[in-house]
Amino acid sequence: MTKRVLFTGGGSAGHVSVNVALIPRFKEKDWTISYIGSHNGIEKDMITTQFPDVPYHGIASGKLRRYFSVKNFTDPFRVLAGVMQAYRVLKKEKPNVIFSKGGFVSVPVLLAAKMAKIPVAIHESDVTPGLANKLAIPFATKIYTTFKETLQFMPKDRSTCAGAIIREELFTGSRKVGEELTNLHASKPVLLIMGGSLGAQGINKVVRDSLDSLLEHFSVIHLCGKGNIIQTDKEGYVQYEFVSTELPHLLEMTDLVVSRAGSNSIFEFLALKKPMLLIPLSKESSRGDQILNANAFVQQGFALKLEEQDLSQECFLTTVRQLRDQQWTMVEKMEEAPPSYTIDQMTDEIALLSRSNGN
């Protein structure tokens, strides 16, 4: 009998990346796979590009804003329309189980799943659940968290800390390939800087203002975001707008990381034992989830943190030096971290959930 799984989640790459990691394993196990996302979100590009054989269904979705907007009055009707569209998809695809990574597009899907009596698993990345997952939790059969601290916000009888689901290809990097890609062969340690596409300008500026000092001690790989590459001939400094298949090789040759504090990224650095300096998005630019993520990693000894309002050249260079001095202590702490679920373990959990409802 054919087993069917439907994935949902979108709005940001973080709400899709775990799905992208899990889909290949379900394909290997001969499950029939489908996806529900928004009509024009990043999830559509990621899923249809990487898995053109997976049916993608776009539905209407709204967004609950924490500020006044006329759309706050119209979006509930979009959510209602999305519920009915999702329900029709569920009746057509007949999934045995649904896996949701979050984002507002997942809310109507989980409401429809409740109506259709289909078991649902949710994975929450951040220390505190996002608004979409808060709305979806009552309709979830099982909730998996990345941080153990998140369990205090979840129903105890349905929640488990699974950790981060790490893309397996990140463990396949080659230092030699990385050196060929970057042309960095010096004996200096490699500092990888990942500003992210959202709010990267502050990080880009302080890095470039500090570049001469950094290059005295490091080779620098800078992922600076689309349209942010500058003209320079400084030796030991390599820029990329973004990378995809190159990333495992760049990480393999990396000694230290400077990054935002998105949950998926920082757990990938943890899994690869890369000491990190985290510069979380401020509360003015987000709901503050990255600050909580960074605080949790600092408390466990995996990272240092620099608040965005303190992002001066002097503070940045001082903290990078501290990171270099503390890197081996951090690696020791990382070695002691409890392991996250593997791709196989998470796949088995979802499969087991499909059977819990008699499917």
Side-chain angles (χ1 to χ4, degrees):
M1 180 178 177
T2 301
K3 288 289 188 179
R4 300 175 180 270
V5 58
L6 184 141
F7 290 89
T8 187
S12 71
H15 287 140
V16 191
S17 59
V18 172
N19 293 341
V20 168
L22 290 170
I23 286 173
R25 186 64 86 249
F26 277 96
K27 290 169 72 79
E28 291 173 7
K29 293 178 178 290
D30 294 324
W31 284 60
T32 298
I33 303 163
S34 53
Y35 202 104
I36 294 181
S38 63
H39 289 292
N40 300 303
I42 188 173
E43 63 273 18
K44 182 176 182 180
D45 290 337
M46 291 177 68
I47 298 301
T48 58
T49 299
Q50 297 185 55
F51 307 106
D53 56 334
V54 171
Y56 182 92
H57 304 276
I59 64 168
S61 63
K63 179 179 180 180
L64 297 181
R65 301 162 184 85
R66 294 176 173 84
Y67 54 87
F68 176 79
S69 170
V70 173
K71 290 184 178 180
N72 286 341
F73 299 99
T74 59
D75 276 6
F77 296 100
R78 291 178 57 80
V79 173
L80 183 59
V83 172
M84 301 315 298
Q85 292 165 6
Y87 185 78
R88 287 195 290 271
V89 172
L90 298 184
K91 286 300 183 182
K92 174 185 176 183
E93 296 290 350
K94 297 180 172 58
N96 301 104
V97 63
I98 295 171
F99 182 81
S100 170
K101 194 60 191 74
F104 288 102
V105 72
S106 67
V107 175
V109 179
L110 268 63
L111 286 167
K114 186 70 173 180
M115 294 164 55
K117 298 181 179 179
I118 299 170
V120 174
I122 289 177
H123 188 269
E124 172 56 54
S125 291
D126 296 312
V127 174
T128 58
L131 184 54
N133 269 350
K134 283 183 179 178
L135 294 172
I137 284 168
F139 307 105
T141 314
K142 184 75 176 182
I143 302 139
Y144 297 94
T145 70
T146 300
F147 291 90
K148 64 180 184 299
E149 294 90 339
T150 315
L151 292 174
Q152 64 185 300
F153 305 106
M154 300 296 183
K156 294 181 179 180
D157 59 333
R158 292 184 285 138
S159 304
T160 299
C161 180
I165 311 304
I166 308 297
R167 297 172 286 169
E168 291 183 332
E169 63 266 25
L170 290 183
F171 298 100
T172 64
S174 162
R175 184 181 185 90
K176 181 180 179 181
V177 173
E179 290 176 348
E180 291 171 352
L181 288 169
T182 60
N183 200 30
L184 296 175
H185 302 281
S187 58
K188 294 177 183 177
V190 173
L191 179 67
L192 175 65
I193 298 164
M194 300 178 65
S197 59
L198 181 60
Q201 296 305 320
I203 294 177
N204 289 347
K205 183 178 186 307
V206 77
V207 166
R208 286 161 177 161
D209 288 347
S210 308
L211 201 50
D212 288 337
S213 297
L214 289 173
L215 291 174
E216 291 179 10
H217 305 283
F218 303 98
S219 294
V220 177
I221 302 173
H222 187 184
L223 309 187
C224 55
K226 188 175 182 180
N228 292 323
I229 287 180
I230 62 169
Q231 293 297 320
T232 180
D233 57 359
K234 291 185 182 294
E235 186 176 352
Y237 177 58
V238 180
Q239 306 169 80
Y240 297 92
E241 288 187 339
F242 58 88
V243 294
S244 55
T245 56
E246 306 93 337
L247 184 58
H249 309 302
L250 300 184
L251 284 168
E252 179 62 24
M253 65 185 297
T254 291
D255 297 286
L256 305 172
V257 175
V258 175
S259 174
R260 290 297 193 189
S263 173
N264 292 324
S265 294
I266 64 177
F267 271 92
E268 288 173 351
F269 302 145
L270 172 60
L272 295 169
K273 310 296 186 292
K274 304 296 180 182
M276 60 198 95
L277 166 58
L278 302 179
I279 306 173
L281 281 168
S282 66
K283 287 186 177 179
E284 287 72 28
S285 303
S286 68
R287 67 181 180 89
D289 50 299
Q290 288 200 7
I291 295 173
L292 296 175
N293 294 348
N295 288 343
F297 266 42
V298 170
Q299 290 167 8
Q300 295 175 83
F302 305 151
L304 297 179
K305 182 184 73 168
L306 182 58
E307 297 281 6
E308 190 146 29
Q309 60 266 27
D310 298 325
L311 193 56
S312 66
Q313 182 179 348
E314 180 180 0
C315 286
F316 177 70
L317 287 171
T318 297
T319 314
V320 169
R321 285 193 291 269
Q322 291 173 350
L323 180 67
R324 179 192 60 196
D325 294 342
Q326 298 178 33
Q327 63 176 306
W328 299 117
T329 302
M330 288 185 180
V331 170
E332 289 177 1
K333 292 287 187 181
M334 291 174 170
E335 296 282 359
E336 300 169 359
S340 296
Y341 279 25
T342 64
I343 297 288
D344 282 331
Q345 284 176 306
M346 195 72 243
T347 303
D348 289 344
E349 287 275 331
I350 298 169
L352 183 64
L353 190 63
S354 75
R355 296 193 291 272
S356 70
N357 202 39
N359 290 314

